[in-house]
Amino acid sequence: MNNRQLFLSHLAQTTDFPLMIEVEKAEGVYLYGPNQEKYIDLISGIGVSNVGHRHPKVLEAIQNQLDKYLHLMVYGEYVQTPQTLLAKALCDTLPDQLDNVYFVNSGSEAIEGALKLAKRYTGKKKLFSCINAYHGSSHGSLSIGGNEIFKRAYRPLLPGITNIVYGGYADLEKIDSDTAAVVVETIQGEAGIRVACTNYFQDLRKKCDEVGALLILDEIQAGFGRTGKFWAFEHFDIVPDIVVCAKGMGGGMPIGAFIANKEVMGVFKNNPLLGHITTFGGHPVSAAASLATIQILQKENLIAQVEEKAALFKKLLIHPKIKGIRNKGLMMAVEFESFEVLKPIIDRAIELGVITDWFLFCDDSMRIAPPLVITEEEIKGACSIILQAIDDVA
């Protein structure tokens, strides 16, 4: 059996129509197949490869850690240099009050920990999240998700959850003194790149303060430079009580975190002790890769280039079939008339060597979220192929 047959026979499938792109190597913005196929990856493994595939500094950090140790002990017991240095580097990117990091393995796990933390710290049970939000696929993260299509088959889920309109001022009045937390994607991702205004975020922050609720910002897709700031909430002049990150955090390695202040995080130590537990959270190899990722973003000036690169995409992607482009930095949605128009274009672009896709809750828009290392020439080449794909399908 070849790899494709083994994939279909023995790997659990998530759809009846997987992309089935076979990859032998990846580097920078490119994926390479076994028969000299070459693809420009415009989705970064869904927001993961912010510094590109197999960045040399990430590989060096991984190799250096491999020579020292791998897993030693469940999270939080041993002093492990990759974890401590990464936690300090993360806190240095954040406002002073966000000074305590809990490492996990993924975005879903980070959301789970943040929800538990908010309920434990406030002593309250009610949670608010947004319509068409996506926070992950585990039971708790699915519970606060904002689209019933993905939830209905798994009910009953967590009780006490209300979905509100992202960017909707009127719904802020629903947040009351029984609320433990309001969980919001700073930039809505799977809704098709929706960006609320600064006044909304400031009013949301004020409302949480008034009722004693914690504000949890999900930066799993938007963090680590994707929007042109290290953290997307920097665009809106607010500070969350808890920030959640993963995806672009690891340079291609699995890692996530939720970050709060030391007082809030301290409730996990008592009643009960070990209030949140993870075996592999902050794995030393992933932590080393993540620290290298932060250093790359800072030293290679990648974040400062995001707006210019996004502007080039918007300048080049002009076609009668394109109805508009929504974006915050290199977190972009190119809108078409319908999924029926878009899907053949995506398929043709892949045939021509550019990988894009659509959004879970917005299937009329093409996702563009390339590695931040993408060059001007690579952007021009990718856009030329997308436009060719549109013409070929038309």
Side-chain angles (χ1 to χ4, degrees):
M1 297 178 73
N2 62 30
N3 271 344
R4 295 171 70 86
Q5 290 168 325
L6 291 170
F7 174 90
L8 293 170
S9 296
H10 298 299
L11 277 177
Q13 304 293 297
T14 57
T15 72
D16 288 324
F17 44 90
L19 285 172
M20 295 293 289
I21 296 172
E22 188 170 351
V23 179
E24 283 207 342
K25 184 179 179 181
E27 190 164 9
V29 301
Y30 294 102
L31 307 181
Y32 300 91
N35 300 305
Q36 285 72 56
E37 302 97 334
K38 181 179 179 181
Y39 306 94
I40 299 175
D41 181 7
L42 284 192
I43 55 176
S44 304
I46 312 298
V48 169
S49 303
N50 284 17
V51 298
H53 296 281
R54 298 178 63 251
H55 191 289
K57 293 295 184 183
V58 172
L59 297 184
E60 180 183 0
I62 290 170
Q63 184 60 59
N64 288 341
Q65 186 55 42
L66 291 178
D67 291 337
K68 295 174 183 175
Y69 54 82
L70 303 181
H71 175 77
L72 299 177
M73 180 58 166
V74 298
Y75 172 81
E77 296 295 332
Y78 291 176
V79 179
Q80 301 182 51
T81 299
Q83 290 181 356
T84 58
L85 293 181
L86 175 58
K88 175 62 165 61
L90 278 170
C91 292
D92 286 346
T93 70
L94 288 160
D96 290 345
Q97 57 265 53
L98 293 170
D99 62 359
N100 217 242
V101 183
Y102 196 115
F103 290 120
V104 290
N105 304 284
S106 69
S108 272
E109 289 182 51
I111 288 289
E112 297 287 348
L115 295 180
K116 285 178 64 179
L117 183 62
K119 291 165 78 173
R120 176 71 181 83
Y121 180 76
T122 64
K124 304 171 185 177
K125 303 296 186 289
K126 189 183 293 187
L127 298 167
F128 283 82
S129 60
C130 291
I131 295 167
N132 282 342
Y134 181 79
H135 298 288
S137 196
S138 53
H139 254 77
S141 58
L142 182 63
S143 297
I144 61 168
N147 192 291
E148 188 61 25
I149 291 172
F150 285 87
K151 297 165 72 167
R152 63 169 66 106
Y154 300 102
R155 292 193 178 279
L157 295 167
L158 287 181
I161 293 165
T162 301
N163 289 143
I164 57 177
V165 175
Y166 174 82
Y169 289 91
D171 276 3
L172 297 182
E173 295 306 312
K174 298 177 182 178
I175 302 167
D176 59 21
S177 58
D178 294 324
T179 305
V182 182
V183 189
V184 179
E185 294 168 278
T186 315
I187 311 297
Q188 278 203 312
E190 297 310 314
I193 314 303
R194 310 293 175 173
V195 186
C197 68
T198 297
N199 286 343
Y200 170 78
F201 276 109
Q202 293 182 348
D203 285 356
L204 173 61
R205 174 71 275 180
K206 182 179 178 182
K207 184 66 175 181
C208 288
D209 290 339
E210 287 175 356
V211 302
L214 299 189
L215 175 58
I216 301 173
L217 290 185
D218 177 341
E219 300 241 351
I220 293 167
Q221 285 197 55
F224 280 74
R226 173 60 52 192
T227 67
K229 302 280 190 183
F230 196 99
W231 302 102
F233 68 77
E234 296 177 63
H235 292 285
F236 305 109
D237 195 26
I238 60 164
V239 179
D241 298 296
I242 304 173
V243 64
V244 177
C245 53
K247 286 192 179 288
M249 176 181 180
M253 293 293 287
I255 190 169
F258 55 103
I259 307 167
N261 69 43
K262 196 167 186 177
E263 177 193 349
V264 173
M265 201 73 81
V267 299
F268 278 155
K269 296 188 291 186
N270 300 292
N271 297 319
L273 76 159
L274 300 175
H276 194 65
I277 303 171
T278 173
T279 296
F280 293 112
H283 189 282
V285 177
S286 293
S290 182
L291 178 60
T293 297
I294 293 175
Q295 294 168 344
I296 292 162
L297 289 170
Q298 294 171 336
K299 292 179 181 179
E300 296 189 8
N301 203 34
L302 293 176
I303 299 174
Q305 300 168 24
V306 164
E307 286 296 340
E308 183 178 352
K309 292 176 180 179
L312 182 57
F313 271 107
K314 295 173 79 173
K315 177 183 177 182
L316 296 174
L317 288 177
I318 297 175
H319 192 282
K321 293 287 186 181
I322 294 175
K323 300 185 69 174
I325 299 177
R326 299 181 298 277
N327 80 294
K328 194 68 173 176
L330 286 172
M331 199 173 177
M332 313 185 78
V334 182
E335 185 178 349
F336 291 81
E337 182 178 341
S338 66
F339 178 72
E340 289 69 29
V341 171
L342 173 60
K343 180 60 164 60
I345 294 169
I346 289 173
D347 293 342
R348 180 59 179 151
I350 292 173
E351 291 174 358
L352 295 171
V354 167
I355 298 174
T356 69
D357 72 342
W358 61 94
F359 299 89
L360 287 179
F361 311 139
C362 183
D363 65 7
D364 65 359
S365 296
M366 175 186 290
R367 184 196 308 265
I368 294 182
L372 307 187
V373 297
I374 194 169
T375 66
E376 180 178 321
E377 288 306 307
E378 288 163 345
I379 293 171
K380 290 178 179 178
C383 290
S384 176
I385 289 174
I386 291 171
L387 294 174
Q388 181 184 339
I390 296 172
D391 287 337
D392 286 355
V393 169

